[in-house]
Amino acid sequence: MTILWLAMVVVQVGPPIDLPPLPNARPMEVRTGPAVPAERHVLTVADLEQIALQSNPTLAQAAERIGQAQGNADQAGRYPNPIAVWNSQSLGAGGTMGTQGGFVQQPIVTGGKLRINRSRYEVDVEIARWGLVEQQYRVRNGVRLRSWQILAQQRLLEARAGLIRMADEVVALTRAKVDSGHASKADLLLAENDATAMRLDREQLEDRYQNSWRELAAYLGVPGMEPVPLAGDLERQAAPVSWEESLAYLLEGSPEVKIAELRVLRTQRDLRREEVEPIPDLILRGGAAHDLSNDDTIGIVRVYVDLPLWDRNQGNIARAHHALTDARQNLARVRLSIEQRLARRYNQYLTSNANVKRYQEEILPRSLQAFEIYGDEFRNEEASYSRVQSALGAYTDGLQKLFLEYEELRNAETAIEGMLLVEDIVESTTPRPPSGGLPQAPSGGGVPVGGRPSRDPN
């Protein structure tokens, strides 16, 4: 037995294995679990983000995948178990129990295979961590996109209330002019229809506002949450955004890029594992037996080794080389995809920012001034009702477009600041651990184990 355990300690076949280090990157930490907001009269966008980071189930899923990957890494580096065997031979020889004995068989893994196996799964742990970061961005961005929509609807509801008051004033003015004989009944009917249409638009907008809150509550992971006034900076001035700085920011910090880089590292370690596969593992057997027929005791020491004469893992090594090239090309593809998607969002930012300034500084002031002028002229019988109606309609349309442009502008900023990780549904997109189950120890038995005991099934 001493020979067996000594051999396990001293045997070393093949050169030492140098592995590239894991990148020094860690995702932000968040707590996950159910969270119900306390009753409040006003919520901010930041409040909603915190609720989602604690309650959205996709984040809990992503966190659990880190644990799965850590379990894989732990199992992949564990040494194969020894096999204990009791052996009886020549039963009945000389009227005795024959030869009774036993031995222990232990696979000896060489070439650093177990260390490389574990290192591969350690990369998967980092991929899972960055997957959590990616999902955090997606959830936070999803909250922000829905918040901008609700804030825009809130402001439109407030604007609609003011527009209804303006339409009612026009109705009152037209009625007075009809009574005095200076306007026709048709003008009054049109004015009343315009006021009714504005009330109908506001009622429909209220329905959309309620439905937007229902969708947001489900996205937060708190279904049934009642709508409350939302505070946010929808109408703040847009911060200057540079194309060059935005692209550098995304390529440097994007979880998509980090995951693609880690997949290159993963395939590098896969290749290294295939390269050391031909280094033969050993199977050591040591034990003793006692022959009861002649009262002799004998020792047993055996060493089994595969001879890599014909199969030197050439096919798997070639496959791993191609997989590494594939992973590097995928990294290039991810970077190009980010640049392409940024181009669309950057154009959205530029267009909406310019539109907001035009509506704020030129279109809406002119429309409002035109409405006031035509209203005075209508009152003084210098203009027809159609002019008042047209001016009020232009002002109403401009207000709606302004808040839609604000929403588009905030959406573009959110996408750029949030690593372009935006989506419209509650669905996890984090990478799962590789399929194939956990690494397994070799099968038992009292004979040399077939195949290679250090071989990771994944």
Side-chain angles (χ1 to χ4, degrees):
M1 296 298 292
T2 304
I3 297 175
L4 173 64
W5 297 113
L6 180 61
M8 290 176 57
V9 174
V10 302
V11 68
Q12 176 65 42
V13 180
I17 307 301
D18 293 325
L19 299 173
L22 288 171
N24 185 18
R26 291 292 185 273
M28 54 185 170
E29 297 293 334
V30 298
R31 294 181 296 111
T32 56
V36 179
E39 290 189 12
R40 296 177 59 176
H41 298 294
V42 178
L43 285 174
T44 66
V45 177
D47 293 332
L48 297 177
E49 289 175 10
Q50 288 305 310
I51 294 171
L53 289 176
Q54 296 180 27
S55 300
N56 187 290
T58 63
L59 294 176
Q61 286 181 284
E64 290 302 321
R65 287 168 190 154
I66 297 175
Q68 295 175 43
Q70 289 172 332
N72 281 347
D74 176 74
Q75 188 64 34
R78 292 191 175 273
Y79 217 83
N81 291 324
I83 299 170
V85 179
W86 180 261
N87 187 49
S88 295
Q89 297 184 103
S90 304
L91 296 177
T96 68
M97 293 295 294
T99 302
Q100 300 292 322
F103 59 85
V104 174
Q105 178 175 298
Q106 175 65 52
I108 304 298
V109 181
T110 64
K113 298 186 186 75
L114 293 180
R115 183 161 57 89
I116 299 174
N117 281 349
R118 174 171 286 178
S119 74
R120 296 158 65 203
Y121 285 96
E122 287 171 348
V123 177
D124 290 342
V125 173
E126 294 304 305
I127 291 175
R129 287 191 174 124
W130 276 107
L132 174 58
V133 174
E134 182 179 37
Q135 193 63 13
Q136 288 168 350
Y137 272 111
R138 290 187 184 277
V139 169
R140 189 189 68 175
N141 293 340
V143 171
R144 290 187 178 183
L145 295 182
R146 289 161 176 80
S147 297
W148 303 139
Q149 181 185 53
I150 288 175
L151 285 168
Q153 290 171 346
Q154 282 184 181
R155 294 292 287 115
L156 279 171
L157 285 170
E158 296 168 3
R160 287 286 182 184
L163 291 170
I164 289 172
R165 287 193 296 270
M166 294 169 66
D168 288 342
E169 292 173 2
V170 173
V171 170
L173 174 61
T174 306
R175 182 176 291 114
K177 293 184 71 62
V178 170
D179 293 342
S180 66
H182 294 92
S184 69
K185 180 67 174 179
D187 288 338
L188 177 59
L189 293 174
L190 289 176
E192 289 174 339
N193 271 352
D194 289 339
T196 300
M198 285 192 178
R199 285 183 167 82
L200 179 59
D201 287 343
R202 193 178 192 282
E203 290 171 2
Q204 293 175 345
L205 181 59
E206 178 69 33
D207 291 338
R208 291 198 297 273
Y209 172 77
Q210 294 290 333
N211 192 63
S212 296
W213 261 106
R214 295 186 188 102
E215 181 183 347
L216 175 60
Y219 191 83
L220 295 176
V222 191
M225 188 173 103
E226 292 296 324
V228 297
L230 182 60
D233 50 0
L234 176 72
E235 298 168 75
R236 62 178 165 81
Q237 184 176 1
V241 176
S242 161
W243 165 264
E244 292 77 12
E245 292 178 355
S246 298
L247 182 58
Y249 163 75
L250 291 170
L251 294 179
E252 174 64 25
S254 171
E256 293 177 282
V257 173
K258 298 297 184 184
I259 290 172
E261 290 174 343
L262 285 167
R263 292 199 183 282
V264 171
L265 180 58
R266 176 60 148 94
T267 53
Q268 287 175 335
R269 296 192 176 181
D270 289 343
L271 172 60
R272 188 60 182 142
R273 180 62 183 82
E274 300 297 349
E275 289 174 340
V276 301
E277 179 64 18
I279 300 174
D281 294 335
L282 305 178
I283 297 178
L284 301 185
R285 175 183 294 182
H290 184 72
D291 188 348
L292 297 176
S293 64
N294 55 24
D295 202 29
D296 285 341
T297 299
I298 59 175
I300 302 172
V301 175
R302 292 182 182 177
V303 178
Y304 300 85
V305 60
D306 285 337
L307 299 178
L309 299 180
W310 298 282
D311 179 4
R312 295 186 296 278
N313 211 36
Q314 300 96 318
N316 286 332
I317 292 173
R319 175 192 53 78
H321 274 291
H322 288 293
L324 178 56
T325 302
D326 184 8
R328 286 171 173 159
Q329 292 299 322
N330 182 66
L331 174 58
R333 180 199 61 81
V334 169
R335 288 173 173 157
L336 291 174
S337 172
I338 286 175
E339 186 167 356
Q340 181 184 23
R341 285 146 53 202
L342 175 61
R344 292 195 294 265
R345 290 295 182 177
Y346 192 70
N347 180 70
Q348 178 187 359
Y349 163 81
L350 293 177
T351 301
S352 296
N353 192 31
N355 290 346
V356 163
K357 290 181 179 179
R358 294 295 187 187
Y359 277 104
Q360 267 190 332
E361 299 172 4
E362 300 179 34
I363 297 175
L364 281 175
R366 290 170 183 163
S367 298
L368 181 58
Q369 187 178 7
F371 170 75
E372 292 171 346
I373 291 173
Y374 282 133
D376 290 339
E377 290 179 352
F378 180 58
R379 187 177 292 107
N380 297 327
E381 301 178 11
E382 297 174 358
S384 65
Y385 170 74
S386 62
R387 298 290 183 87
V388 179
Q389 183 186 41
S390 175
L392 181 57
Y395 183 64
T396 300
D397 183 65
L399 270 177
Q400 179 160 332
K401 288 181 177 177
L402 171 64
F403 290 116
L404 291 178
E405 291 295 344
Y406 266 126
E407 182 182 347
E408 287 295 305
L409 177 59
R410 299 285 90 88
N411 287 348
E413 290 176 336
T414 296
I416 295 173
E417 294 171 1
M419 300 294 174
L420 304 178
L421 297 170
V422 293
E423 59 184 2
D424 297 324
I425 56 176
V426 186
E427 179 179 345
S428 175
T429 56
T430 53
R432 295 182 177 274
S435 60
L438 295 176
Q440 298 177 354
S443 58
V447 297
V449 179
R452 301 177 174 93
S454 63
R455 189 60 176 167
D456 170 26
N458 290 325

